[in-house]
Amino acid sequence: MKTKGYNTRKLGLVVASLALAGCASLGNTPAQDRSFAAWSACQAAGRIPAGAQLTRVGPDGRYYYTYLDTGTQGIKDCMAEYFRVGRIVSP
């Protein structure tokens, strides 16, 4: 019985350690940070329609958004401009 309790505690410690290690990696990747920065810059420049919302950014920086109106090409153009030159040049 004691051996079983020891193994259960040991397993519990291993699971807890893995869970804590997983939580340490929950920060954004550099690619995600760049996509969030691009979205913010495009919003500040007024190039993202009011009805558009950034819904998700993948670890590779791929971004997903929803919108209520037209304007997707403007969003794509603005994001591409930011990725190309690192800032928004045209209004």
Side-chain angles (χ1 to χ4, degrees), residues 13-76:
L13 287 173
V14 169
V15 169
S17 297
L18 290 174
L20 287 174
C23 290
S25 65
L26 290 179
N28 288 342
T29 65
Q32 286 173 314
D33 287 338
R34 188 166 161 87
S35 290
F36 284 121
W39 185 268
S40 293
C42 290
Q43 267 187 325
R47 294 182 55 189
I48 293 184
Q53 182 178 3
L54 186 64
T55 56
R56 180 169 63 100
V57 177
D60 62 352
R62 215 175 294 177
Y63 58 92
Y64 303 86
Y65 58 89
T66 58
Y67 57 96
L68 300 174
D69 203 355
T70 60
T72 59
Q73 192 58 48
I75 294 171
K76 291 176 187 175

